[in-house]
Amino acid sequence: AAVVRGDGTVLAEAIASQVGVHEEWGGVVPKLAQQSHRAAIDGTVAEALRRAAVSPADLSAVAVTVGPGLALCLDVGVRKALSLCREHRIPLVRVHHMEAHALVTWLPSCHAHHAPRPHPPSASVPQAPPPPPLLSGLLPPFPFLTLLVSGGHNMLVLSRAVGDHTVLGSTLDDSIGEAFDKTARLLGIEAIPGGPPLERLAASGDPRAYALPRPLSRTRDEALRSNCDFSYAGLKSAVRMLLEPQQPPKKQRKQQRKQQQGQGQQQPPQPQQQQQQPPQ
């Protein structure tokens, strides 16, 4: 949860982590994730308001993600937002998950010192109408191109204006996040997400030790070779085939997983709030 001023300044934020739950169960279990959301939502929102020294009655609106995403978890946030709006008679702002990822980097705290120069007008890309004067200093320099790599979403997006986006390419199978997580598990990494520890291992490895395929480089489909789509299933399968000869038989691995799951049949830990200072 975050408290954001009208000019885009983040006054405060609070985060509730579910990493412990995901690691215990070897990934995201939707029902457990929903339970963790429910257990944490009230305290997380209250903590963000406390850090910002703002009461719910001072809010001008409540923004909440409505999708795409895990429906069970989105439902928790939407219900909390609706209750705040109903209690304090303020508007509800519905937010598209991926548009938020694309635009959040243009908040003042994110781009004050690193904002790129606006793109010159292009005849091939329609120009967005000029924004109202009060918003002209907040909007990014449309049009721009964004690579979104977020959990199960992986897409290349051309943004012309707020609410005006074209998906140029997306994943044909797995997202890059899923490929990282499953490869990490094949290597015995139990951390969730598996990308960070896998990246640290790769930094000290030999990039020439194994010949792994470049996604879509061998396809005979010219449309796939020339478009902007992504594919990671083949790369993930190549890693699995490389590792299988070095692993115990599949039946033995399955029995080991069952034993580990049997030992972990306890109440999932409650998510803990992480202390995090607002961005400078």
Side-chain angles (χ1 to χ4, degrees):
V3 181
V4 184
R5 205 165 58 192
D7 63 359
T9 301
V10 179
L11 299 180
E13 59 182 341
I15 299 174
S17 174
Q18 296 185 12
V19 169
V21 178
H22 301 333
E23 289 182 350
E24 180 179 354
W25 295 90
V28 178
V29 180
K31 192 63 178 178
L32 295 180
Q34 183 189 47
Q35 293 173 2
S36 297
H37 273 64
R38 285 174 175 167
I41 187 76
D42 290 339
T44 304
V45 171
E47 179 62 15
L49 290 168
R50 185 193 67 79
R51 294 179 186 179
V54 170
S55 72
D58 296 327
L59 298 174
S60 302
V62 176
V64 61
T65 300
V66 296
L70 195 59
L72 291 175
C73 297
L74 293 173
D75 179 71
V76 176
V78 170
R79 289 179 183 272
K80 176 63 177 179
L82 286 171
S83 69
L84 285 171
C85 293
R86 183 169 53 248
E87 180 180 357
H88 301 285
R89 297 181 179 276
I90 52 179
L92 177 76
V93 179
R94 294 174 294 178
V95 177
H96 189 281
H97 185 184
M98 304 317 295
E99 182 179 48
H101 277 302
L103 297 182
V104 72
T105 55
W106 296 99
L107 287 176
S109 57
C110 296
H111 76 94
H113 303 293
H114 304 284
R117 299 177 62 182
H119 296 284
S122 171
S124 60
V125 179
Q127 299 300 301
L134 291 177
L135 296 178
S136 60
L138 298 180
L139 295 178
F142 293 108
F144 61 85
L145 193 64
T146 304
L147 174 63
L148 292 175
V149 185
S150 170
H153 301 95
N154 196 176
M155 57 186 68
L156 192 65
V157 182
L158 172 63
S159 298
R160 299 184 179 90
V162 176
D164 183 4
H165 311 278
T166 300
V167 178
L168 301 179
S170 185
T171 178
L172 299 173
D173 35 62
D174 299 335
S175 69
I176 184 64
E178 182 180 359
F180 264 112
D181 286 344
K182 291 189 175 180
T183 299
R185 291 189 67 184
L186 286 171
L187 291 169
I189 298 173
E190 297 182 357
I192 302 290
L198 187 61
E199 187 175 18
R200 287 193 292 270
L201 285 174
S204 59
D206 181 1
R208 297 175 295 275
Y210 302 101
L212 295 172
R214 182 178 301 173
L216 299 180
S217 63
R218 298 177 183 175
T219 179
R220 296 182 180 181
D221 189 330
E222 188 59 34
L224 289 178
R225 293 176 62 90
S226 59
N227 66 20
C228 296
D229 288 327
F230 308 89
S231 172
Y232 298 101
L235 181 59
K236 185 185 67 177
S237 298
V239 173
R240 177 176 54 79
M241 294 173 65
L242 181 67
L243 292 173
E244 276 184 345
Q246 308 173 36
Q247 293 182 331
K250 184 176 181 179
K251 185 176 181 180
Q252 183 178 342
R253 297 200 306 270
K254 188 175 182 180
Q255 291 175 345
Q256 291 175 348
R257 283 197 298 270
K258 284 185 176 180
Q259 291 175 356
Q260 292 172 355
Q261 291 173 356
Q263 295 171 357
Q265 295 292 333
Q266 301 125 2
Q267 187 70 20
Q270 298 297 323
Q272 299 179 349
Q273 289 186 352
Q274 296 180 346
Q275 298 295 322
Q276 183 166 333
Q277 297 299 322
Q280 299 297 321

